[in-house]
Amino acid sequence: MISIFSRQSENMPKSPKSGKTTPKSPKASAKKQKGGKDKQPEKKDEAELSMAAIGHPEIFPLVFTTKTQEIFNCRVDEDVTEENCFKLIKKDDIIQDLKTRAAISDFHPIKNTILEYPGEELLIVFDANFQYGQSFYLVASEEAKENLLKPPETAEEMGSEEEEETPEAYKHPVSKPWVSLGSEKEVEEESVKDRVKKIKYMFSRGHGMFGAPITFTDRNASDVKDSYIECTSYQDKTFTIKLLEKDMGVQMVPILKEASTQTEWTYPKNATTQYFPRELSNEEKEEILSSEKLKEFFTSVCLRMEIALQQNEIMNAFSDDWKDLDDDLSKSDICFKEYQTFTDLHHLKDKSISCVCWHPTIYGIIAESAAKQPSKKEKTKTQQDSVIIFWSLFDPIQPQIILECLEGVYCFQFSPSDPNIIAGGCYSGQVVLWDISRYEEKLQNAKNVTVGMERTIVNMSSVSLLNLLEDNDMSELLSMEGKESDKGQNLVRCFASSSVHHSHEKKITDIHWLPDNFEINRMGETFENRAGICVQLVTCSPDSLILFWDVRDTKLPTYPSPEDEENDFSMLTEASNDPGLVWKPLMKISLCDKDEENNVKCSPTKISLNEQHYRTKTTDKEQSPHKPQALKERPYAQMSVSLNKTLNAIESVSNNFLVGTEDGDIIYSDWEMKTKNDMEKTGEKCTVHKEAVNTVQRSPFFKDIILSVGGGNFAIWKEGVTNGPILQSNCTSQRYTAGHWSLTRPGVFYTATDDGSICIWDLLKETQKPSHIQNISKLAITCISLRIASPKQQFVAVSDDSGVLHILEIHRKLMYPSSNEQANILSYFERRVQNLKNHKKDQEAEI
């Protein structure tokens, strides 16, 4: 229904004294009928609709719909207004409307009153001010109708005004019975009723089972029939109902904080400056302007000035061309230039690269490990396709050498003392060692074979490629390549492998060589390393173990001749079966959570030692990559195997380390053992990442600054500060998969994302977002490894989830540090540490 309301008519005369409405109003006219007898309706319900409670039984408020207003020509603001508020309607028309529209007629509630009305016309009054509660009201009395249509004279008005001034006796309001308009049905529909029958479950067991010991075991769900039940997802229609309206209450309380500041006051000083301009006299001015010397000067420079003014209109003569040549990262979208790409369809098909390492001494040689994570059924089989491939920047097609292993290799590291010795961690938890010394000369002589681009001599059966290119004779070159391919690839098998029963239970996720200036014993005590070479390893795995290994416990390589290469695998098999040659870890550490009462074990994924090797400066070898180098002595060949010599203890070496776990925790602990059998260690734990930590790396410029990457954020830590990270990024929708510090700029580091992009973070510019983002691959990036090729060239190796290795050349803006960058970054880290301490003091003060 649509009802249109307007204000009450103001044309009724008012008393000059009180301002009340005269008998022209319905109230006044009703008072004159007080002594008379009004005819009462037969039904009680119609009597209740009248204004009898306030002394006007002849008044019946009505609501007229738009349809009713159109039928009886009483439309608001058209047929009836505030000035003309009366409308006479014939009784027969109303009766006809009651017959036609029946119960939906607006006159139906007072049907009996209308039928018993003695007159032929009924008065309808438009009530603009809702004096009686509705927009219209019906006058059911002839006397009241005449009083409203024909108001009395002035004398009578004055008399009635005096009568109105006499106070009336208070009438107690009469309560009315509640009339239902259908609201109880709405309340019934909105009420919540439990229509679903509740399901009851009862679980019981025998009395003898109470208190019995319980043993939990692990078994394969596929071994037993009907033991594996797949719970597939389905769409629940209960949650598809849209919530149209919801009542919620939110109250916000402002946080009050008092702060004050004091400006530094300086001693005020009064200072004044007075100067007098040097001016020429009028005689001197006239003499200079009339001189022949000035005229000759203007004549000589006039043409040059005109040319200079024309040039200024054409181009900006004051622009700095050197600044225009400066390639700023904010203007350029390319910070990494594609230098080389490596992939192998035979060894890298359907595999993911898990580790990438540059050769420490030979220019342009890079190694990568790629393998599928073996399942439980595949652990009993030989993983022949799990290899470490060596590539050369000069030969993107053919791998240089391939390292084979019986198990999949997840991570590996070159020995800092002798890069020919390589240690790897397998998916089976074993540690393996390779020796590539016999292929060192091959790696040094690897060159890029190109046609007409570079005049490079390739050491290939003493044949000059340059001569072949000049003579346009490619048949000889193709025949040589065929001979080389017939020889097969250079496969290298491991010469040592740890015992399966004494290794990790899960895959080794990180491996490092201990520095060559110290070694540890079985109690974790540090001693001097008289050999001066790296002889010990540390590995970590999600099985909560951190193991220390001594390579002197293995059968060290004797550097056999190439004729004995085919017997390496048989020698390794015989050594593994010999009980006296079983390679066991030197020391075991089980990392536990000290905050838990049940002593829950942690799951390390990455480890960073306080003492660690970094290679940030270029050597002469790297600056002259094309120059063949002579073979040097083998450090491990001269190493003493005896461990019973008395060594001097070293107290200056720190035994602390930082560990990232699968749960996203960062744990700070040490490897010192209190007792021989006590292998459990705890440490300071801080939870920052939401997913497993994939990078824990120390800054090459600051020994106590560590970068951790995992989940959707990264954090920078300072060793010794246990309150938390000194810098932590916000969580993003992207997942960071790797991270690496810059080798030449203290304030720059790189992070990789799962969408194939590399983010460049420059702490001197901004810390809330990366300074530049460049997409490298369509798949997730798995590893990042940086290398300084020369003082003017740096490479970054990026591997993706499809087995492709990208070699990118770093922009020179990211190679050279700015002025005092290291001092500024150090000052920034110190300020962050101080802010963290102040924040902790404020929290303690609030408590």
PDB file of all heavy atoms in Angstrom, residues 478-505:
ATOM      1  N   LEU A 478      82.380 -31.929 -37.564  1.00  0.00           N
ATOM      2  CA  LEU A 478      81.301 -32.856 -37.250  1.00  0.00           C
ATOM      3  C   LEU A 478      81.833 -34.249 -36.976  1.00  0.00           C
ATOM      4  O   LEU A 478      81.315 -34.972 -36.116  1.00  0.00           O
ATOM      5  CB  LEU A 478      80.293 -32.890 -38.413  1.00  0.00           C
ATOM      6  CG  LEU A 478      79.540 -31.583 -38.676  1.00  0.00           C
ATOM      7  CD1 LEU A 478      78.660 -31.732 -39.929  1.00  0.00           C
ATOM      8  CD2 LEU A 478      78.706 -31.186 -37.474  1.00  0.00           C
ATOM      9  N   SER A 479      82.879 -34.639 -37.683  1.00  0.00           N
ATOM     10  CA  SER A 479      83.452 -35.967 -37.429  1.00  0.00           C
ATOM     11  C   SER A 479      84.086 -36.024 -36.057  1.00  0.00           C
ATOM     12  O   SER A 479      84.000 -37.046 -35.357  1.00  0.00           O
ATOM     13  CB  SER A 479      84.474 -36.294 -38.508  1.00  0.00           C
ATOM     14  OG  SER A 479      85.556 -35.368 -38.457  1.00  0.00           O
ATOM     15  N   MET A 480      84.729 -34.929 -35.636  1.00  0.00           N
ATOM     16  CA  MET A 480      85.327 -34.912 -34.301  1.00  0.00           C
ATOM     17  C   MET A 480      84.257 -34.973 -33.225  1.00  0.00           C
ATOM     18  O   MET A 480      84.413 -35.636 -32.197  1.00  0.00           O
ATOM     19  CB  MET A 480      86.172 -33.645 -34.145  1.00  0.00           C
ATOM     20  CG  MET A 480      87.474 -33.680 -34.928  1.00  0.00           C
ATOM     21  SD  MET A 480      88.505 -32.272 -34.509  1.00  0.00           S
ATOM     22  CE  MET A 480      87.426 -30.949 -34.966  1.00  0.00           C
ATOM     23  N   GLU A 481      83.142 -34.242 -33.403  1.00  0.00           N
ATOM     24  CA  GLU A 481      82.064 -34.284 -32.424  1.00  0.00           C
ATOM     25  C   GLU A 481      81.474 -35.673 -32.333  1.00  0.00           C
ATOM     26  O   GLU A 481      81.100 -36.149 -31.255  1.00  0.00           O
ATOM     27  CB  GLU A 481      80.982 -33.267 -32.788  1.00  0.00           C
ATOM     28  CG  GLU A 481      81.457 -31.831 -32.624  1.00  0.00           C
ATOM     29  CD  GLU A 481      80.374 -30.851 -32.990  1.00  0.00           C
ATOM     30  OE1 GLU A 481      79.317 -31.326 -33.476  1.00  0.00           O
ATOM     31  OE2 GLU A 481      80.560 -29.651 -32.806  1.00  0.00           O
ATOM     32  N   GLY A 482      81.391 -36.379 -33.449  1.00  0.00           N
ATOM     33  CA  GLY A 482      80.883 -37.741 -33.413  1.00  0.00           C
ATOM     34  C   GLY A 482      81.795 -38.654 -32.649  1.00  0.00           C
ATOM     35  O   GLY A 482      81.358 -39.544 -31.915  1.00  0.00           O
ATOM     36  N   LYS A 483      83.133 -38.464 -32.810  1.00  0.00           N
ATOM     37  CA  LYS A 483      84.075 -39.285 -32.064  1.00  0.00           C
ATOM     38  C   LYS A 483      83.960 -39.029 -30.573  1.00  0.00           C
ATOM     39  O   LYS A 483      84.055 -39.942 -29.758  1.00  0.00           O
ATOM     40  CB  LYS A 483      85.494 -38.997 -32.541  1.00  0.00           C
ATOM     41  CG  LYS A 483      85.756 -39.459 -33.972  1.00  0.00           C
ATOM     42  CD  LYS A 483      87.176 -39.124 -34.392  1.00  0.00           C
ATOM     43  CE  LYS A 483      87.433 -39.563 -35.837  1.00  0.00           C
ATOM     44  NZ  LYS A 483      88.812 -39.212 -36.270  1.00  0.00           N
ATOM     45  N   GLU A 484      83.772 -37.754 -30.216  1.00  0.00           N
ATOM     46  CA  GLU A 484      83.645 -37.440 -28.800  1.00  0.00           C
ATOM     47  C   GLU A 484      82.381 -38.031 -28.213  1.00  0.00           C
ATOM     48  O   GLU A 484      82.352 -38.497 -27.080  1.00  0.00           O
ATOM     49  CB  GLU A 484      83.647 -35.918 -28.601  1.00  0.00           C
ATOM     50  CG  GLU A 484      84.974 -35.246 -28.873  1.00  0.00           C
ATOM     51  CD  GLU A 484      86.052 -35.671 -27.881  1.00  0.00           C
ATOM     52  OE1 GLU A 484      85.690 -35.968 -26.726  1.00  0.00           O
ATOM     53  OE2 GLU A 484      87.228 -35.739 -28.267  1.00  0.00           O
ATOM     54  N   SER A 485      81.283 -38.000 -28.968  1.00  0.00           N
ATOM     55  CA  SER A 485      80.039 -38.559 -28.460  1.00  0.00           C
ATOM     56  C   SER A 485      80.102 -40.065 -28.348  1.00  0.00           C
ATOM     57  O   SER A 485      79.435 -40.674 -27.506  1.00  0.00           O
ATOM     58  CB  SER A 485      78.869 -38.147 -29.360  1.00  0.00           C
ATOM     59  OG  SER A 485      79.084 -38.639 -30.656  1.00  0.00           O
ATOM     60  N   ASP A 486      80.930 -40.693 -29.203  1.00  0.00           N
ATOM     61  CA  ASP A 486      81.045 -42.148 -29.134  1.00  0.00           C
ATOM     62  C   ASP A 486      81.750 -42.593 -27.858  1.00  0.00           C
ATOM     63  O   ASP A 486      81.539 -43.698 -27.363  1.00  0.00           O
ATOM     64  CB  ASP A 486      81.799 -42.681 -30.360  1.00  0.00           C
ATOM     65  CG  ASP A 486      81.002 -42.465 -31.635  1.00  0.00           C
ATOM     66  OD1 ASP A 486      79.766 -42.310 -31.515  1.00  0.00           O
ATOM     67  OD2 ASP A 486      81.606 -42.449 -32.727  1.00  0.00           O
ATOM     68  N   LYS A 487      82.602 -41.755 -27.346  1.00  0.00           N
ATOM     69  CA  LYS A 487      83.316 -42.136 -26.136  1.00  0.00           C
ATOM     70  C   LYS A 487      82.397 -42.210 -24.932  1.00  0.00           C
ATOM     71  O   LYS A 487      82.727 -42.817 -23.932  1.00  0.00           O
ATOM     72  CB  LYS A 487      84.435 -41.135 -25.860  1.00  0.00           C
ATOM     73  CG  LYS A 487      85.526 -41.161 -26.911  1.00  0.00           C
ATOM     74  CD  LYS A 487      86.613 -40.152 -26.568  1.00  0.00           C
ATOM     75  CE  LYS A 487      87.719 -40.153 -27.628  1.00  0.00           C
ATOM     76  NZ  LYS A 487      88.765 -39.147 -27.313  1.00  0.00           N
ATOM     77  N   GLY A 488      81.244 -41.551 -25.016  1.00  0.00           N
ATOM     78  CA  GLY A 488      80.304 -41.571 -23.907  1.00  0.00           C
ATOM     79  C   GLY A 488      80.573 -40.443 -22.927  1.00  0.00           C
ATOM     80  O   GLY A 488      81.580 -39.741 -22.990  1.00  0.00           O
ATOM     81  N   GLN A 489      79.654 -40.241 -22.023  1.00  0.00           N
ATOM     82  CA  GLN A 489      79.784 -39.189 -21.027  1.00  0.00           C
ATOM     83  C   GLN A 489      80.725 -39.647 -19.906  1.00  0.00           C
ATOM     84  O   GLN A 489      80.864 -40.826 -19.628  1.00  0.00           O
ATOM     85  CB  GLN A 489      78.411 -38.825 -20.465  1.00  0.00           C
ATOM     86  CG  GLN A 489      77.483 -38.253 -21.506  1.00  0.00           C
ATOM     87  CD  GLN A 489      76.097 -38.031 -20.957  1.00  0.00           C
ATOM     88  OE1 GLN A 489      75.728 -38.666 -19.981  1.00  0.00           O
ATOM     89  NE2 GLN A 489      75.341 -37.153 -21.596  1.00  0.00           N
ATOM     90  N   ASN A 490      81.357 -38.651 -19.255  1.00  0.00           N
ATOM     91  CA  ASN A 490      82.285 -38.918 -18.170  1.00  0.00           C
ATOM     92  C   ASN A 490      81.498 -39.115 -16.887  1.00  0.00           C
ATOM     93  O   ASN A 490      80.996 -38.150 -16.301  1.00  0.00           O
ATOM     94  CB  ASN A 490      83.272 -37.763 -18.031  1.00  0.00           C
ATOM     95  CG  ASN A 490      84.104 -37.585 -19.281  1.00  0.00           C
ATOM     96  OD1 ASN A 490      84.634 -38.545 -19.807  1.00  0.00           O
ATOM     97  ND2 ASN A 490      84.200 -36.351 -19.756  1.00  0.00           N
ATOM     98  N   LEU A 491      81.335 -40.354 -16.470  1.00  0.00           N
ATOM     99  CA  LEU A 491      80.579 -40.683 -15.272  1.00  0.00           C
ATOM    100  C   LEU A 491      81.541 -40.917 -14.121  1.00  0.00           C
ATOM    101  O   LEU A 491      82.547 -41.613 -14.262  1.00  0.00           O
ATOM    102  CB  LEU A 491      79.727 -41.934 -15.505  1.00  0.00           C
ATOM    103  CG  LEU A 491      78.728 -41.863 -16.666  1.00  0.00           C
ATOM    104  CD1 LEU A 491      77.983 -43.180 -16.791  1.00  0.00           C
ATOM    105  CD2 LEU A 491      77.755 -40.710 -16.472  1.00  0.00           C
ATOM    106  N   VAL A 492      81.230 -40.319 -12.969  1.00  0.00           N
ATOM    107  CA  VAL A 492      82.068 -40.440 -11.778  1.00  0.00           C
ATOM    108  C   VAL A 492      81.223 -41.048 -10.674  1.00  0.00           C
ATOM    109  O   VAL A 492      80.132 -40.532 -10.365  1.00  0.00           O
ATOM    110  CB  VAL A 492      82.630 -39.069 -11.339  1.00  0.00           C
ATOM    111  CG1 VAL A 492      83.530 -39.236 -10.127  1.00  0.00           C
ATOM    112  CG2 VAL A 492      83.371 -38.415 -12.491  1.00  0.00           C
ATOM    113  N   ARG A 493      81.706 -42.115 -10.086  1.00  0.00           N
ATOM    114  CA  ARG A 493      81.002 -42.754  -8.987  1.00  0.00           C
ATOM    115  C   ARG A 493      81.621 -42.316  -7.662  1.00  0.00           C
ATOM    116  O   ARG A 493      82.800 -41.972  -7.588  1.00  0.00           O
ATOM    117  CB  ARG A 493      81.061 -44.273  -9.125  1.00  0.00           C
ATOM    118  CG  ARG A 493      80.384 -44.812 -10.380  1.00  0.00           C
ATOM    119  CD  ARG A 493      80.378 -46.319 -10.389  1.00  0.00           C
ATOM    120  NE  ARG A 493      79.692 -46.857 -11.556  1.00  0.00           N
ATOM    121  CZ  ARG A 493      80.306 -47.178 -12.694  1.00  0.00           C
ATOM    122  NH1 ARG A 493      81.623 -47.012 -12.789  1.00  0.00           N
ATOM    123  NH2 ARG A 493      79.626 -47.665 -13.703  1.00  0.00           N
ATOM    124  N   CYS A 494      80.832 -42.364  -6.606  1.00  0.00           N
ATOM    125  CA  CYS A 494      81.316 -41.945  -5.293  1.00  0.00           C
ATOM    126  C   CYS A 494      82.310 -42.972  -4.756  1.00  0.00           C
ATOM    127  O   CYS A 494      82.202 -44.169  -5.019  1.00  0.00           O
ATOM    128  CB  CYS A 494      80.147 -41.779  -4.324  1.00  0.00           C
ATOM    129  SG  CYS A 494      79.147 -43.260  -4.107  1.00  0.00           S
ATOM    130  N   PHE A 495      83.302 -42.469  -4.006  1.00  0.00           N
ATOM    131  CA  PHE A 495      84.308 -43.377  -3.447  1.00  0.00           C
ATOM    132  C   PHE A 495      84.057 -43.687  -1.977  1.00  0.00           C
ATOM    133  O   PHE A 495      84.724 -44.530  -1.393  1.00  0.00           O
ATOM    134  CB  PHE A 495      85.714 -42.784  -3.614  1.00  0.00           C
ATOM    135  CG  PHE A 495      85.967 -41.565  -2.774  1.00  0.00           C
ATOM    136  CD1 PHE A 495      86.383 -41.666  -1.450  1.00  0.00           C
ATOM    137  CD2 PHE A 495      85.788 -40.296  -3.302  1.00  0.00           C
ATOM    138  CE1 PHE A 495      86.614 -40.540  -0.691  1.00  0.00           C
ATOM    139  CE2 PHE A 495      86.019 -39.172  -2.537  1.00  0.00           C
ATOM    140  CZ  PHE A 495      86.428 -39.290  -1.221  1.00  0.00           C
ATOM    141  N   ALA A 496      83.090 -43.001  -1.348  1.00  0.00           N
ATOM    142  CA  ALA A 496      82.780 -43.268   0.064  1.00  0.00           C
ATOM    143  C   ALA A 496      81.310 -42.979   0.306  1.00  0.00           C
ATOM    144  O   ALA A 496      80.730 -42.061  -0.285  1.00  0.00           O
ATOM    145  CB  ALA A 496      83.650 -42.425   0.986  1.00  0.00           C
ATOM    146  N   SER A 497      80.712 -43.770   1.193  1.00  0.00           N
ATOM    147  CA  SER A 497      79.307 -43.608   1.543  1.00  0.00           C
ATOM    148  C   SER A 497      79.119 -44.021   2.987  1.00  0.00           C
ATOM    149  O   SER A 497      79.726 -44.992   3.455  1.00  0.00           O
ATOM    150  CB  SER A 497      78.418 -44.460   0.626  1.00  0.00           C
ATOM    151  OG  SER A 497      77.073 -44.377   1.014  1.00  0.00           O
ATOM    152  N   SER A 498      78.322 -43.264   3.719  1.00  0.00           N
ATOM    153  CA  SER A 498      78.088 -43.568   5.125  1.00  0.00           C
ATOM    154  C   SER A 498      77.170 -44.777   5.272  1.00  0.00           C
ATOM    155  O   SER A 498      76.430 -45.146   4.349  1.00  0.00           O
ATOM    156  CB  SER A 498      77.472 -42.360   5.836  1.00  0.00           C
ATOM    157  OG  SER A 498      76.201 -42.073   5.283  1.00  0.00           O
ATOM    158  N   SER A 499      77.207 -45.366   6.443  1.00  0.00           N
ATOM    159  CA  SER A 499      76.370 -46.531   6.720  1.00  0.00           C
ATOM    160  C   SER A 499      74.911 -46.120   6.840  1.00  0.00           C
ATOM    161  O   SER A 499      74.588 -45.094   7.442  1.00  0.00           O
ATOM    162  CB  SER A 499      76.825 -47.210   8.013  1.00  0.00           C
ATOM    163  OG  SER A 499      75.933 -48.243   8.383  1.00  0.00           O
ATOM    164  N   VAL A 500      74.028 -46.914   6.249  1.00  0.00           N
ATOM    165  CA  VAL A 500      72.592 -46.594   6.305  1.00  0.00           C
ATOM    166  C   VAL A 500      72.078 -46.640   7.736  1.00  0.00           C
ATOM    167  O   VAL A 500      71.238 -45.828   8.138  1.00  0.00           O
ATOM    168  CB  VAL A 500      71.804 -47.571   5.407  1.00  0.00           C
ATOM    169  CG1 VAL A 500      70.317 -47.285   5.471  1.00  0.00           C
ATOM    170  CG2 VAL A 500      72.304 -47.507   3.975  1.00  0.00           C
ATOM    171  N   HIS A 501      72.577 -47.569   8.545  1.00  0.00           N
ATOM    172  CA  HIS A 501      72.089 -47.743   9.912  1.00  0.00           C
ATOM    173  C   HIS A 501      72.578 -46.637  10.838  1.00  0.00           C
ATOM    174  O   HIS A 501      72.014 -46.455  11.924  1.00  0.00           O
ATOM    175  CB  HIS A 501      72.529 -49.105  10.448  1.00  0.00           C
ATOM    176  CG  HIS A 501      72.092 -50.250   9.601  1.00  0.00           C
ATOM    177  ND1 HIS A 501      70.779 -50.657   9.527  1.00  0.00           N
ATOM    178  CD2 HIS A 501      72.777 -51.069   8.747  1.00  0.00           C
ATOM    179  CE1 HIS A 501      70.668 -51.690   8.699  1.00  0.00           C
ATOM    180  NE2 HIS A 501      71.876 -51.963   8.205  1.00  0.00           N
ATOM    181  N   HIS A 502      73.626 -45.907  10.455  1.00  0.00           N
ATOM    182  CA  HIS A 502      74.160 -44.839  11.289  1.00  0.00           C
ATOM    183  C   HIS A 502      73.949 -43.461  10.678  1.00  0.00           C
ATOM    184  O   HIS A 502      74.534 -42.487  11.147  1.00  0.00           O
ATOM    185  CB  HIS A 502      75.660 -45.065  11.529  1.00  0.00           C
ATOM    186  CG  HIS A 502      75.975 -46.338  12.231  1.00  0.00           C
ATOM    187  ND1 HIS A 502      76.181 -47.526  11.556  1.00  0.00           N
ATOM    188  CD2 HIS A 502      76.102 -46.632  13.556  1.00  0.00           C
ATOM    189  CE1 HIS A 502      76.438 -48.497  12.424  1.00  0.00           C
ATOM    190  NE2 HIS A 502      76.404 -47.987  13.642  1.00  0.00           N
ATOM    191  N   SER A 503      73.117 -43.368   9.654  1.00  0.00           N
ATOM    192  CA  SER A 503      72.853 -42.088   8.991  1.00  0.00           C
ATOM    193  C   SER A 503      71.511 -41.541   9.447  1.00  0.00           C
ATOM    194  O   SER A 503      70.879 -42.060  10.365  1.00  0.00           O
ATOM    195  CB  SER A 503      72.893 -42.271   7.469  1.00  0.00           C
ATOM    196  OG  SER A 503      74.136 -42.763   7.047  1.00  0.00           O
ATOM    197  N   HIS A 504      71.073 -40.498   8.760  1.00  0.00           N
ATOM    198  CA  HIS A 504      69.775 -39.893   9.055  1.00  0.00           C
ATOM    199  C   HIS A 504      68.648 -40.826   8.625  1.00  0.00           C
ATOM    200  O   HIS A 504      68.809 -41.642   7.701  1.00  0.00           O
ATOM    201  CB  HIS A 504      69.624 -38.553   8.328  1.00  0.00           C
ATOM    202  CG  HIS A 504      70.529 -37.477   8.850  1.00  0.00           C
ATOM    203  ND1 HIS A 504      70.235 -36.741   9.961  1.00  0.00           N
ATOM    204  CD2 HIS A 504      71.729 -37.021   8.394  1.00  0.00           C
ATOM    205  CE1 HIS A 504      71.201 -35.864  10.175  1.00  0.00           C
ATOM    206  NE2 HIS A 504      72.119 -36.011   9.231  1.00  0.00           N
ATOM    207  N   GLU A 505      67.520 -40.690   9.296  1.00  0.00           N
ATOM    208  CA  GLU A 505      66.350 -41.474   8.934  1.00  0.00           C
ATOM    209  C   GLU A 505      65.572 -40.838   7.792  1.00  0.00           C
ATOM    210  O   GLU A 505      64.805 -41.514   7.108  1.00  0.00           O
ATOM    211  CB  GLU A 505      65.437 -41.640  10.152  1.00  0.00           C
ATOM    212  CG  GLU A 505      66.075 -42.423  11.293  1.00  0.00           C
ATOM    213  CD  GLU A 505      65.148 -42.541  12.486  1.00  0.00           C
ATOM    214  OE1 GLU A 505      64.022 -42.006  12.398  1.00  0.00           O
ATOM    215  OE2 GLU A 505      65.538 -43.156  13.479  1.00  0.00           O
TER     216      GLU A 505
END
